[in-house]
Amino acid sequence: MNDLTIRKLQKEDLTNGFLQTLDSLRQTSNTDKKTIEKTFEKINSNQDQLTIVALLEGKVVGATTLLIETKFIHNGGKVGHIEDVVVNKKYQKKGIGEKMIKYLLRYAKEQGCYKTILDCVDDVKPFYEKLGFKHNANALRFDHT
C-alpha cells in the first residue's frame, strides 16, 4: 500500500468518504451537514484531540481519534486515549488499521504521553496485542440515556 496517506482530518474529507467510513462503526453518513460541520469545527479547534484519516487513491478509507488527557498524577503527565478506530469494510485486512495506530502511537509519544490506552471488543483484541498493547483492566460503561 505505497499510495496510502495518513494525515489529520481536513474539512474536505467530510464529503470524501470519511462519513461513509464511520458507517462501519455506526450510521453517520446520514447526519445533517450543519451538525457534521459544527462537530468538525469543535474537534478541529481542540488541541488535545487529533482525528486522522487514511486515504487510498485520494479517498478516505480509514479514520481514528486520539484524545490527550493531562493528569494531576505522574507529575502532570499525559495519557493518550485512542477512540473510534475504523477502516471501510472494503479495505479491511490490508494493514491500514495498523498504520493508523502506529501513527497515533508515535504522535502520542511526541506529545509527551507516558502511555496510550484504548478499549476494544474481544474480536479485535489480537490485532491490538500484535501492536504491543497489553490487557490491563476492565472497561465499564454507563449510558446516560
Side-chain angles (χ1 to χ4, degrees):
M1 296 235 148
N2 292 340
D3 52 349
L4 183 73
T5 301
I6 297 176
R7 61 159 169 75
K8 182 178 180 178
L9 175 69
Q10 297 174 1
K11 193 167 187 175
E12 61 267 18
D13 296 327
L14 300 176
T15 56
N16 188 31
F18 176 68
L19 299 175
Q20 291 75 18
T21 296
L22 290 179
D23 284 344
S24 295
L25 288 176
R26 175 169 287 215
Q27 183 66 42
T28 307
S29 60
N30 61 354
T31 305
D32 110 32
K33 186 178 179 196
K34 259 193 171 50
T35 300
I36 291 296
E37 288 178 357
K38 277 184 185 175
T39 303
F40 172 80
E41 294 304 328
K42 187 173 185 179
I43 289 171
N44 202 42
S45 68
N46 182 349
Q47 66 184 17
D48 293 326
Q49 183 171 349
L50 172 69
T51 298
I52 62 166
V53 291
L55 295 110
L56 198 54
E57 298 170 4
K59 188 164 180 69
V60 176
V61 297
T64 187
T65 296
L66 176 73
L67 304 166
I68 298 176
E69 172 191 13
T70 302
K71 310 287 270 183
F72 282 102
I73 61 175
H74 292 279
N75 296 314
K78 297 177 183 177
V79 176
H81 299 261
I82 295 176
E83 288 285 333
D84 301 334
V85 179
V86 63
V87 175
N88 183 304
K89 288 188 189 302
K90 290 188 273 187
Y91 298 94
Q92 291 178 357
K93 308 258 188 258
K94 298 182 186 299
I96 296 169
E98 180 177 339
K99 288 182 174 138
M100 290 191 307
I101 295 297
K102 287 181 176 179
Y103 181 102
L104 285 187
L105 290 174
R106 269 192 313 275
Y107 181 84
K109 186 175 183 179
E110 289 167 4
Q111 299 306 304
C113 292
Y114 67 89
K115 71 178 179 181
T116 299
I117 58 178
L118 57 79
D119 295 328
C120 70
V121 294
D122 288 342
D123 293 355
V124 295
K125 195 173 161 206
F127 167 77
Y128 293 109
E129 289 173 335
K130 181 182 83 171
L131 296 173
F133 286 84
K134 296 173 188 70
H135 179 83
N136 182 43
N138 298 313
L140 303 173
R141 173 177 160 157
F142 182 90
D143 292 327
H144 296 277
T145 53

